[in-house]
Coordinates of all heavy atoms in Angstrom, one line a residue:
M8 N -9.8 -196.5 -75.3 CA -9.3 -195.1 -75.5 C -8.0 -194.9 -74.9 O -7.1 -194.2 -75.6 CB -10.4 -194.1 -74.9 CG -10.2 -192.7 -75.5 SD -10.6 -192.6 -77.2 CE -9.4 -191.4 -77.8
E9 N -7.8 -195.4 -73.8 CA -6.4 -195.2 -73.2 C -5.3 -195.8 -74.1 O -4.2 -195.3 -74.1 CB -6.2 -195.8 -71.8 CG -7.3 -195.3 -70.8 CD -8.5 -196.3 -70.8 OE1 -8.4 -197.4 -70.3 OE2 -9.6 -196.0 -71.3
V10 N -5.7 -196.9 -74.7 CA -4.7 -197.5 -75.6 C -4.4 -196.6 -76.7 O -3.2 -196.4 -77.1 CB -5.3 -198.9 -76.1 CG1 -4.3 -199.5 -77.1 CG2 -5.5 -199.8 -74.9
L11 N -5.4 -196.0 -77.3 CA -5.1 -195.1 -78.4 C -4.3 -193.9 -78.0 O -3.4 -193.5 -78.7 CB -6.5 -194.6 -79.0 CG -7.3 -195.6 -79.7 CD1 -8.7 -194.9 -80.1 CD2 -6.7 -196.2 -80.9
E12 N -4.6 -193.4 -76.8 CA -3.8 -192.2 -76.4 C -2.4 -192.6 -76.2 O -1.4 -191.9 -76.6 CB -4.4 -191.8 -75.0 CG -5.8 -191.3 -75.0 CD -6.0 -189.8 -74.8 OE1 -5.5 -189.4 -73.8 OE2 -6.7 -189.2 -75.6
S13 N -2.1 -193.7 -75.5 CA -0.7 -194.0 -75.1 C 0.0 -194.7 -76.3 O 1.3 -194.6 -76.3 CB -0.7 -194.9 -73.8 OG -1.2 -196.1 -74.0
K14 N -0.6 -195.4 -77.1 CA 0.1 -196.2 -78.1 C 0.0 -195.7 -79.5 O 0.7 -196.1 -80.4 CB -0.4 -197.6 -78.1 CG -0.2 -198.3 -76.8 CD 1.3 -198.9 -76.7 CE 1.5 -199.3 -75.3 NZ 2.2 -200.6 -75.2
C15 N -0.9 -194.8 -79.7 CA -1.1 -194.3 -81.1 C -0.8 -192.8 -81.2 O -0.1 -192.4 -82.0 CB -2.5 -194.6 -81.6 SG -3.1 -196.3 -81.2
N16 N -1.5 -192.1 -80.3 CA -1.4 -190.6 -80.4 C 0.0 -190.1 -80.1 O 0.4 -189.0 -80.7 CB -2.4 -189.9 -79.5 CG -3.8 -190.0 -80.0 OD1 -4.0 -190.3 -81.2 ND2 -4.8 -189.8 -79.1
V17 N 0.8 -190.8 -79.3 CA 2.1 -190.3 -79.1 C 2.9 -190.1 -80.4 O 3.7 -189.2 -80.6 CB 3.0 -191.3 -78.1 CG1 2.6 -191.1 -76.7 CG2 2.8 -192.8 -78.6
C18 N 2.6 -191.1 -81.3 CA 3.3 -191.0 -82.5 C 2.5 -190.1 -83.6 O 3.1 -189.3 -84.3 CB 3.5 -192.4 -83.1 SG 4.3 -192.3 -84.8
H19 N 1.2 -190.3 -83.6 CA 0.5 -189.5 -84.6 C 0.6 -188.0 -84.4 O 0.6 -187.2 -85.3 CB -1.0 -189.9 -84.5 CG -1.3 -191.2 -85.3 ND1 -2.4 -191.4 -85.9 CD2 -0.6 -192.3 -85.5 CE1 -2.4 -192.5 -86.5 NE2 -1.3 -193.1 -86.3
A20 N 0.7 -187.6 -83.1 CA 0.9 -186.2 -82.8 C 2.1 -185.6 -83.6 O 2.1 -184.5 -84.0 CB 1.0 -185.9 -81.3
R21 N 3.1 -186.4 -83.7 CA 4.3 -186.0 -84.4 C 4.3 -186.2 -85.9 O 4.6 -185.4 -86.7 CB 5.5 -186.7 -83.8 CG 6.4 -185.9 -82.9 CD 7.6 -186.8 -82.5 NE 7.2 -188.1 -81.9 CZ 7.7 -189.3 -82.3 NH1 8.6 -189.3 -83.2 NH2 7.3 -190.3 -81.7
R22 N 3.8 -187.5 -86.3 CA 4.0 -187.9 -87.6 C 2.7 -187.7 -88.5 O 2.8 -187.8 -89.8 CB 4.4 -189.4 -87.6 CG 5.6 -189.7 -86.8 CD 6.8 -189.5 -87.7 NE 6.8 -190.4 -88.9 CZ 7.1 -191.6 -89.0 NH1 7.5 -192.2 -87.9 NH2 7.0 -192.3 -90.1
N23 N 1.6 -187.6 -87.9 CA 0.3 -187.6 -88.6 C -0.7 -186.8 -87.8 O -1.7 -187.3 -87.4 CB -0.1 -189.1 -88.7 CG -1.2 -189.4 -89.7 OD1 -1.5 -188.5 -90.5 ND2 -1.7 -190.6 -89.7
P24 N -0.4 -185.5 -87.7 CA -1.2 -184.7 -86.8 C -2.7 -184.6 -87.2 O -3.5 -184.3 -86.3 CB -0.6 -183.3 -86.9 CG 0.5 -183.4 -87.9 CD 0.7 -184.8 -88.3
S25 N -3.1 -184.9 -88.4 CA -4.5 -184.8 -88.7 C -5.2 -186.0 -88.2 O -6.5 -186.1 -88.2 CB -4.7 -184.7 -90.2 OG -4.2 -185.9 -90.9
R26 N -4.5 -187.0 -87.7 CA -5.2 -188.2 -87.1 C -4.7 -188.4 -85.7 O -4.3 -189.5 -85.3 CB -4.9 -189.4 -88.0 CG -5.7 -189.5 -89.2 CD -5.9 -190.9 -89.7 NE -6.7 -191.0 -90.9 CZ -6.3 -190.7 -92.1 NH1 -5.1 -190.2 -92.3 NH2 -7.1 -190.9 -93.1
V27 N -5.0 -187.4 -84.8 CA -4.8 -187.7 -83.4 C -6.2 -188.1 -83.0 O -7.2 -187.3 -83.2 CB -4.3 -186.4 -82.7 CG1 -4.4 -186.6 -81.2 CG2 -2.9 -186.1 -83.2
F28 N -6.3 -189.2 -82.3 CA -7.6 -189.8 -82.0 C -8.2 -189.2 -80.8 O -7.6 -189.1 -79.7 CB -7.5 -191.3 -81.9 CG -7.0 -191.9 -83.1 CD1 -5.9 -192.7 -83.1 CD2 -7.6 -191.8 -84.4 CE1 -5.3 -193.3 -84.2 CE2 -7.1 -192.3 -85.6 CZ -5.9 -193.1 -85.5
T29 N -9.5 -188.8 -80.8 CA -10.3 -188.4 -79.7 C -11.6 -189.1 -79.7 O -11.9 -189.7 -80.6 CB -10.5 -186.9 -79.8 OG1 -11.4 -186.7 -80.9 CG2 -9.3 -186.0 -80.0
E30 N -12.3 -189.0 -78.5 CA -13.6 -189.6 -78.5 C -14.5 -189.1 -79.5 O -15.3 -189.7 -80.1 CB -14.3 -189.3 -77.1 CG -13.4 -189.7 -75.9 CD -13.9 -190.8 -75.1 OE1 -14.9 -191.4 -75.5 OE2 -13.3 -191.0 -74.0
E31 N -14.3 -187.8 -79.8 CA -15.2 -187.1 -80.8 C -15.1 -187.6 -82.2 O -16.0 -187.6 -83.0 CB -15.0 -185.6 -80.8 CG -15.5 -184.9 -79.5 CD -14.6 -185.2 -78.3 OE1 -13.3 -185.2 -78.5 OE2 -15.1 -185.4 -77.2
N32 N -13.8 -188.0 -82.6 CA -13.7 -188.4 -84.0 C -13.7 -189.9 -84.2 O -13.5 -190.4 -85.3 CB -12.4 -187.8 -84.7 CG -11.1 -188.2 -84.1 OD1 -11.0 -189.3 -83.5 ND2 -10.1 -187.4 -84.2
M33 N -14.1 -190.6 -83.2 CA -14.2 -192.1 -83.3 C -15.3 -192.5 -84.3 O -15.2 -193.5 -84.9 CB -14.4 -192.7 -82.0 CG -13.2 -192.9 -81.2 SD -11.9 -193.7 -82.2 CE -10.6 -192.5 -82.3
D34 N -16.4 -191.7 -84.4 CA -17.4 -192.1 -85.4 C -16.7 -192.2 -86.8 O -17.1 -193.0 -87.6 CB -18.5 -191.1 -85.4 CG -19.4 -191.2 -84.2 OD1 -19.3 -192.3 -83.5 OD2 -20.2 -190.3 -84.0
A35 N -15.9 -191.2 -87.0 CA -15.3 -191.2 -88.4 C -14.1 -192.1 -88.5 O -13.9 -192.7 -89.5 CB -14.8 -189.8 -88.6
Y36 N -13.4 -192.4 -87.4 CA -12.2 -193.2 -87.6 C -12.2 -194.6 -87.1 O -11.4 -195.4 -87.3 CB -11.0 -192.4 -86.8 CG -10.5 -191.2 -87.5 CD1 -9.9 -190.1 -86.8 CD2 -10.6 -191.1 -89.0 CE1 -9.5 -189.0 -87.5 CE2 -10.2 -189.9 -89.6 CZ -9.7 -188.9 -88.9 OH -9.2 -187.8 -89.5
G37 N -13.3 -194.9 -86.3 CA -13.3 -196.3 -85.8 C -13.1 -197.4 -86.7 O -12.3 -198.2 -86.5
S38 N -13.7 -197.3 -87.9 CA -13.6 -198.4 -88.8 C -12.2 -198.4 -89.5 O -11.6 -199.4 -89.8 CB -14.7 -198.4 -89.9 OG -14.6 -197.3 -90.7
S39 N -11.6 -197.2 -89.7 CA -10.2 -197.2 -90.3 C -9.2 -197.7 -89.3 O -8.2 -198.3 -89.6 CB -9.9 -195.9 -90.9 OG -9.8 -194.9 -89.9
I40 N -9.4 -197.4 -88.0 CA -8.6 -198.0 -87.0 C -8.6 -199.5 -87.0 O -7.6 -200.2 -87.0 CB -9.0 -197.4 -85.6 CG1 -8.7 -196.0 -85.4 CG2 -8.2 -198.3 -84.5 CD1 -9.1 -195.3 -84.2
Y41 N -9.8 -200.0 -87.1 CA -10.0 -201.4 -87.1 C -9.2 -202.1 -88.3 O -8.4 -203.0 -88.1 CB -11.5 -201.8 -87.2 CG -11.7 -203.4 -87.0 CD1 -11.8 -203.9 -85.8 CD2 -11.8 -204.1 -88.1 CE1 -11.9 -205.3 -85.6 CE2 -11.9 -205.5 -88.0 CZ -12.0 -206.1 -86.7 OH -12.1 -207.4 -86.6
E42 N -9.4 -201.4 -89.4 CA -8.8 -201.8 -90.6 C -7.2 -201.9 -90.5 O -6.6 -202.9 -90.8 CB -9.3 -200.9 -91.8 CG -8.4 -200.9 -93.0 CD -9.0 -201.6 -94.1 OE1 -10.2 -202.0 -94.1 OE2 -8.3 -201.8 -95.2
Q43 N -6.7 -200.8 -90.0 CA -5.3 -200.6 -90.0 C -4.6 -201.6 -89.0 O -3.5 -202.0 -89.1 CB -4.9 -199.2 -89.7 CG -5.2 -198.2 -90.8 CD -4.4 -198.5 -92.0 OE1 -3.3 -198.8 -92.0 NE2 -5.1 -198.3 -93.1
V44 N -5.3 -201.8 -87.8 CA -4.7 -202.5 -86.7 C -4.9 -204.0 -86.9 O -4.0 -204.7 -86.8 CB -5.2 -202.0 -85.4 CG1 -4.6 -202.9 -84.2 CG2 -4.9 -200.6 -85.2
F45 N -6.2 -204.4 -87.3 CA -6.5 -205.8 -87.2 C -6.6 -206.5 -88.5 O -6.4 -207.7 -88.6 CB -7.8 -206.0 -86.4 CG -7.7 -205.5 -85.0 CD1 -8.4 -204.4 -84.6 CD2 -6.9 -206.3 -84.1 CE1 -8.3 -204.0 -83.2 CE2 -6.8 -205.9 -82.8 CZ -7.5 -204.7 -82.4
V46 N -6.9 -205.7 -89.6 CA -7.0 -206.3 -90.9 C -5.7 -206.3 -91.6 O -5.1 -207.3 -92.0 CB -8.2 -205.7 -91.7 CG1 -8.3 -206.4 -93.1 CG2 -9.5 -205.8 -90.9
R47 N -5.2 -205.1 -91.7 CA -3.9 -204.9 -92.5 C -2.7 -205.0 -91.6 O -1.5 -205.0 -92.1 CB -4.0 -203.7 -93.3 CG -5.1 -203.8 -94.3 CD -5.5 -202.4 -94.9 NE -4.4 -201.9 -95.8 CZ -4.5 -200.7 -96.4 NH1 -5.5 -199.9 -96.1 NH2 -3.5 -200.3 -97.1
K48 N -2.8 -204.9 -90.3 CA -1.8 -204.9 -89.3 C -0.6 -203.9 -89.6 O 0.5 -204.3 -89.5 CB -1.2 -206.3 -89.2 CG -2.2 -207.4 -88.8 CD -1.6 -208.5 -88.2 CE -2.4 -209.7 -87.9 NZ -3.8 -209.6 -87.6
R49 N -1.0 -202.7 -90.1 CA 0.0 -201.7 -90.4 C 0.3 -200.8 -89.2 O 1.3 -200.2 -89.2 CB -0.5 -200.8 -91.5 CG -0.5 -201.4 -92.9 CD -1.0 -200.5 -93.9 NE -0.1 -199.3 -94.1 CZ -0.5 -198.0 -94.0 NH1 -1.8 -197.8 -93.8 NH2 0.3 -197.1 -94.1
M50 N -0.6 -200.8 -88.2 CA -0.5 -199.9 -87.1 C -0.6 -200.8 -85.8 O -1.3 -201.8 -85.8 CB -1.6 -198.9 -87.0 CG -1.5 -197.9 -88.1 SD -0.1 -196.7 -87.9 CE 0.2 -196.3 -89.6
P51 N 0.1 -200.4 -84.7 CA 1.0 -199.3 -84.6 C 2.2 -199.6 -85.4 O 2.7 -200.7 -85.6 CB 1.3 -199.3 -83.1 CG 0.8 -200.5 -82.5 CD -0.1 -201.1 -83.5
R52 N 2.8 -198.5 -85.9 CA 4.0 -198.6 -86.7 C 5.3 -198.7 -85.9 O 5.4 -198.2 -84.9 CB 3.9 -197.3 -87.6 CG 5.1 -197.2 -88.5 CD 4.9 -195.9 -89.2 NE 4.1 -196.2 -90.4 CZ 4.2 -195.6 -91.5 NH1 5.1 -194.8 -91.7 NH2 3.4 -195.9 -92.5
G53 N 6.3 -199.3 -86.6 CA 7.6 -199.3 -86.0 C 7.7 -200.4 -85.0 O 6.7 -201.1 -84.6
S54 N 8.9 -200.7 -84.5 CA 9.0 -201.8 -83.6 C 9.1 -201.3 -82.2 O 8.9 -202.2 -81.3 CB 10.4 -202.4 -83.9 OG 11.4 -201.5 -84.0
S55 N 9.2 -200.0 -81.9 CA 9.3 -199.6 -80.5 C 7.9 -199.6 -79.8 O 7.9 -199.7 -78.6 CB 9.9 -198.2 -80.4 OG 9.2 -197.3 -81.2
I56 N 6.9 -199.5 -80.6 CA 5.6 -199.4 -80.0 C 4.8 -200.7 -80.4 O 4.5 -200.9 -81.6 CB 4.8 -198.1 -80.3 CG1 5.6 -197.0 -79.9 CG2 3.4 -198.2 -79.8 CD1 4.9 -195.6 -80.0
R57 N 4.3 -201.5 -79.5 CA 3.6 -202.7 -79.8 C 2.4 -202.7 -78.8 O 2.4 -202.3 -77.7 CB 4.4 -203.9 -79.5 CG 5.4 -204.3 -80.6 CD 4.8 -205.3 -81.6 NE 5.3 -205.1 -82.9 CZ 6.5 -205.5 -83.3 NH1 7.3 -206.1 -82.5 NH2 6.9 -205.3 -84.5
L58 N 1.3 -203.3 -79.2 CA 0.2 -203.5 -78.4 C 0.3 -204.8 -77.8 O 0.7 -205.9 -78.4 CB -1.1 -203.5 -79.2 CG -1.6 -202.2 -79.9 CD1 -2.9 -202.4 -80.5 CD2 -1.5 -201.0 -78.9
S59 N 0.2 -204.9 -76.4 CA 0.1 -206.2 -75.8 C -1.1 -206.9 -76.2 O -2.1 -206.3 -76.6 CB 0.2 -206.1 -74.3 OG -1.0 -205.5 -73.8
E60 N -1.3 -208.2 -76.0 CA -2.4 -208.9 -76.3 C -3.7 -208.3 -75.5 O -4.7 -208.2 -76.1 CB -2.3 -210.4 -75.9 CG -3.2 -211.3 -76.6 CD -2.9 -212.8 -76.4 OE1 -1.7 -213.1 -76.4 OE2 -3.8 -213.5 -76.3
Q61 N -3.4 -207.9 -74.3 CA -4.4 -207.3 -73.5 C -4.9 -206.0 -74.1 O -6.1 -205.8 -74.2 CB -3.8 -207.0 -72.1 CG -4.6 -207.5 -71.0 CD -3.9 -207.3 -69.6 OE1 -2.8 -206.8 -69.6 NE2 -4.5 -207.6 -68.6
E62 N -3.9 -205.2 -74.5 CA -4.3 -203.9 -75.1 C -5.0 -204.1 -76.4 O -6.0 -203.4 -76.7 CB -3.1 -203.1 -75.3 CG -2.5 -202.6 -74.0 CD -1.1 -202.0 -74.2 OE1 -0.3 -202.5 -75.1 OE2 -0.7 -201.1 -73.4
S63 N -4.6 -205.0 -77.2 CA -5.2 -205.3 -78.4 C -6.6 -205.8 -78.3 O -7.5 -205.4 -78.9 CB -4.3 -206.4 -79.1 OG -5.0 -206.9 -80.2
N64 N -6.8 -206.7 -77.3 CA -8.2 -207.1 -77.0 C -9.1 -206.0 -76.5 O -10.2 -205.9 -76.9 CB -8.2 -208.3 -76.0 CG -7.7 -209.6 -76.6 OD1 -7.8 -209.7 -77.8 ND2 -7.2 -210.5 -75.8
A65 N -8.5 -205.2 -75.7 CA -9.3 -204.0 -75.1 C -9.7 -203.1 -76.2 O -10.8 -202.7 -76.3 CB -8.4 -203.3 -74.1
L66 N -8.8 -202.9 -77.2 CA -9.1 -202.0 -78.3 C -10.2 -202.6 -79.2 O -11.1 -201.9 -79.6 CB -7.8 -201.7 -79.1 CG -8.0 -200.8 -80.3 CD1 -8.5 -199.5 -80.0 CD2 -6.6 -200.6 -81.0
K67 N -10.1 -203.9 -79.4 CA -11.0 -204.6 -80.3 C -12.4 -204.6 -79.7 O -13.4 -204.2 -80.4 CB -10.6 -206.0 -80.5 CG -11.2 -206.6 -81.8 CD -10.9 -208.1 -81.9 CE -9.6 -208.4 -82.6 NZ -9.3 -209.8 -82.8
N68 N -12.5 -204.9 -78.4 CA -13.8 -204.9 -77.7 C -14.4 -203.5 -77.7 O -15.6 -203.3 -78.0 CB -13.6 -205.4 -76.3 CG -13.3 -206.8 -76.2 OD1 -13.6 -207.6 -77.1 ND2 -12.7 -207.2 -75.1
W69 N -13.6 -202.5 -77.5 CA -14.0 -201.2 -77.5 C -14.6 -200.7 -78.8 O -15.6 -200.1 -78.9 CB -12.9 -200.3 -76.9 CG -13.3 -198.9 -76.8 CD1 -14.2 -198.4 -75.8 CD2 -12.9 -197.8 -77.6 NE1 -14.4 -197.0 -76.1 CE2 -13.6 -196.6 -77.1 CE3 -12.1 -197.7 -78.7 CZ2 -13.4 -195.4 -77.8 CZ3 -11.9 -196.5 -79.4 CH2 -12.5 -195.3 -78.9
L70 N -13.8 -201.0 -79.9 CA -14.3 -200.7 -81.2 C -15.6 -201.3 -81.5 O -16.4 -200.7 -82.2 CB -13.3 -201.1 -82.2 CG -11.9 -200.2 -82.3 CD1 -10.9 -200.9 -83.2 CD2 -12.2 -198.8 -82.8
N71 N -15.8 -202.6 -81.0 CA -17.1 -203.2 -81.3 C -18.2 -202.5 -80.6 O -19.3 -202.6 -81.1 CB -17.0 -204.7 -80.8 CG -16.3 -205.6 -81.8 OD1 -16.3 -205.3 -83.0 ND2 -15.6 -206.6 -81.3
T72 N -18.0 -201.9 -79.5 CA -19.0 -201.1 -78.8 C -19.4 -199.9 -79.6 O -20.5 -199.3 -79.4 CB -18.7 -200.7 -77.4 OG1 -17.7 -199.7 -77.5 CG2 -18.2 -201.9 -76.6
L73 N -18.6 -199.4 -80.5 CA -18.9 -198.2 -81.3 C -19.9 -198.5 -82.4 O -20.6 -197.6 -82.9 CB -17.7 -197.6 -81.9 CG -16.6 -197.1 -80.9 CD1 -15.4 -196.7 -81.7 CD2 -17.1 -196.0 -80.0
K74 N -19.8 -199.7 -82.9 CA -20.6 -200.0 -84.1 C -22.1 -200.2 -83.8 O -22.5 -200.6 -82.8 CB -20.0 -201.2 -84.8 CG -18.7 -200.8 -85.4 CD -18.0 -202.0 -86.1 CE -16.6 -201.8 -86.3 NZ -15.8 -203.0 -86.4
Ligands
HEC29 C1 5.5 -194.8 -84.6 C2 4.5 -194.1 -85.2 C3 3.0 -194.5 -85.3 C4 2.3 -195.3 -84.3 C5 2.8 -195.8 -83.0 C6 1.0 -195.4 -84.8 N1 0.9 -194.8 -86.0 FE1 -0.8 -194.7 -87.2 N2 0.1 -193.7 -88.6 C7 1.5 -193.3 -88.6 C8 1.9 -192.6 -89.7 C9 3.2 -191.9 -90.0 C10 0.7 -192.5 -90.6 C11 0.5 -191.9 -92.0 C12 1.2 -192.6 -93.0 C13 0.6 -194.0 -93.3 O1 -0.7 -194.1 -93.5 O2 1.4 -194.9 -93.4 C14 -0.4 -193.3 -89.8 C15 -1.7 -193.4 -90.3 C16 -2.7 -194.1 -89.6 C17 -4.0 -194.3 -90.1 C18 -4.6 -193.8 -91.4 C19 -4.2 -194.8 -92.5 C20 -4.9 -194.4 -93.8 O3 -5.5 -195.3 -94.3 O4 -4.7 -193.2 -94.2 C21 -4.7 -194.9 -89.1 C22 -6.2 -195.3 -89.1 C23 -3.7 -195.2 -88.0 N3 -2.6 -194.6 -88.3 C24 -4.1 -195.8 -86.8 C25 -3.2 -196.1 -85.8 C26 -3.6 -196.8 -84.6 C27 -5.0 -197.2 -84.2 C28 -2.4 -196.8 -83.9 C29 -2.3 -197.4 -82.5 C30 -2.8 -198.7 -82.2 C31 -1.4 -196.2 -84.6 N4 -1.9 -195.7 -85.7 C32 0.0 -196.0 -84.1 C33 2.3 -193.5 -87.5 C34 2.1 -194.2 -86.3

Protein backbone atom coordinates (compact mmCIF):
# COMPACT_ATOMS: atom_id res chain seq x y z
CA MET A 1 0.00 0.00 0.00
CA GLU A 2 2.81 2.44 0.74
CA VAL A 3 4.10 1.76 -2.74
CA LEU A 4 0.77 2.71 -4.26
CA GLU A 5 0.63 5.87 -2.21
CA SER A 6 4.09 7.10 -2.99
CA LYS A 7 4.51 5.86 -6.56
CA CYS A 8 1.03 5.85 -8.02
CA ASN A 9 -1.25 8.21 -6.19
CA VAL A 10 1.13 11.14 -6.48
CA CYS A 11 0.40 11.16 -10.15
CA HIS A 12 -3.14 9.79 -10.21
CA ALA A 13 -4.27 12.56 -7.89
CA ARG A 14 -3.37 14.99 -10.64
CA ARG A 15 -3.88 13.04 -13.84
CA ASN A 16 -6.46 10.43 -13.03
CA PRO A 17 -8.41 11.53 -9.96
CA SER A 18 -11.03 8.82 -10.23
CA ARG A 19 -8.31 6.26 -9.59
CA VAL A 20 -6.62 7.33 -6.43
CA PHE A 21 -5.99 4.04 -4.69
CA THR A 22 -7.15 3.38 -1.14
CA GLU A 23 -7.47 0.24 0.94
CA GLU A 24 -11.21 0.46 0.42
CA ASN A 25 -11.18 0.31 -3.36
CA MET A 26 -8.63 -2.48 -3.68
CA ASP A 27 -11.34 -5.08 -4.09
CA ALA A 28 -12.36 -3.29 -7.23
CA TYR A 29 -8.93 -2.24 -8.49
CA GLY A 30 -6.58 -4.97 -7.37
CA SER A 31 -6.78 -6.96 -10.57
CA SER A 32 -6.54 -3.94 -12.86
CA ILE A 33 -3.46 -2.80 -10.97
CA TYR A 34 -1.90 -6.19 -11.50
CA GLU A 35 -2.78 -6.04 -15.17
CA GLN A 36 -1.40 -2.54 -15.74
CA VAL A 37 1.80 -2.97 -13.78
CA PHE A 38 2.82 -6.58 -14.37
CA VAL A 39 1.08 -7.79 -17.48
CA ARG A 40 0.98 -4.79 -19.76
CA LYS A 41 3.67 -2.79 -17.98
CA ARG A 42 1.92 0.50 -18.65
CA MET A 43 2.17 1.78 -15.08
CA PRO A 44 3.80 3.57 -13.43
CA ARG A 45 3.79 5.94 -16.30
CA GLY A 46 6.60 8.21 -17.42
CA SER A 47 10.28 7.96 -16.74
CA SER A 48 10.49 9.96 -13.53
CA ILE A 49 8.65 7.39 -11.46
CA ARG A 50 9.87 3.83 -11.39
CA LEU A 51 9.32 0.97 -9.02
CA SER A 52 12.46 -0.56 -7.62
CA GLU A 53 12.65 -4.32 -7.77
CA GLN A 54 11.95 -4.36 -4.07
CA GLU A 55 8.87 -2.19 -4.43
CA SER A 56 7.67 -4.19 -7.35
CA ASN A 57 7.98 -7.42 -5.39
CA ALA A 58 6.28 -5.90 -2.38
CA LEU A 59 3.37 -4.79 -4.54
CA LYS A 60 3.07 -8.14 -6.23
CA ASN A 61 3.12 -10.06 -2.96
CA TRP A 62 0.60 -7.74 -1.47
CA LEU A 63 -1.75 -8.03 -4.43
CA ASN A 64 -1.56 -11.79 -4.09
CA THR A 65 -2.81 -11.55 -0.53
CA LEU A 66 -5.94 -9.79 -1.76
CA LYS A 67 -7.09 -12.57 -4.00
C1 LIG B 1 3.16 9.88 -13.96
C2 LIG B 1 1.77 9.56 -13.83
C3 LIG B 1 1.28 8.19 -13.39
C4 LIG B 1 1.88 7.33 -12.52
C5 LIG B 1 3.18 7.50 -11.76
C6 LIG B 1 1.02 6.18 -12.42
N1 LIG B 1 -0.08 6.34 -13.22
FE1 LIG B 1 -1.63 4.99 -13.48
N2 LIG B 1 -2.53 6.26 -14.80
C7 LIG B 1 -2.05 7.51 -15.17
C8 LIG B 1 -2.96 8.09 -16.15
C9 LIG B 1 -2.78 9.46 -16.80
C10 LIG B 1 -4.01 7.15 -16.34
C11 LIG B 1 -5.23 7.26 -17.25
C12 LIG B 1 -4.90 7.14 -18.68
C13 LIG B 1 -4.46 5.76 -19.08
O1 LIG B 1 -5.11 4.75 -18.71
O2 LIG B 1 -3.44 5.66 -19.75
C14 LIG B 1 -3.70 6.01 -15.47
C15 LIG B 1 -4.50 4.88 -15.40
C16 LIG B 1 -4.26 3.80 -14.55
C17 LIG B 1 -5.09 2.63 -14.43
C18 LIG B 1 -6.36 2.37 -15.19
C19 LIG B 1 -6.05 1.81 -16.54
C20 LIG B 1 -7.30 1.48 -17.28
O3 LIG B 1 -7.38 0.36 -17.78
O4 LIG B 1 -8.20 2.32 -17.36
C21 LIG B 1 -4.53 1.81 -13.49
C22 LIG B 1 -5.05 0.47 -12.99
C23 LIG B 1 -3.31 2.46 -13.05
N3 LIG B 1 -3.16 3.67 -13.70
C24 LIG B 1 -2.45 1.94 -12.11
C25 LIG B 1 -1.27 2.55 -11.68
C26 LIG B 1 -0.38 1.99 -10.69
C27 LIG B 1 -0.63 0.68 -9.94
C28 LIG B 1 0.66 2.85 -10.55
C29 LIG B 1 1.87 2.71 -9.63
C30 LIG B 1 2.61 1.48 -9.61
C31 LIG B 1 0.43 3.96 -11.45
N4 LIG B 1 -0.75 3.74 -12.11
C32 LIG B 1 1.28 5.06 -11.61
C33 LIG B 1 -0.90 8.11 -14.73
C34 LIG B 1 0.04 7.56 -13.83
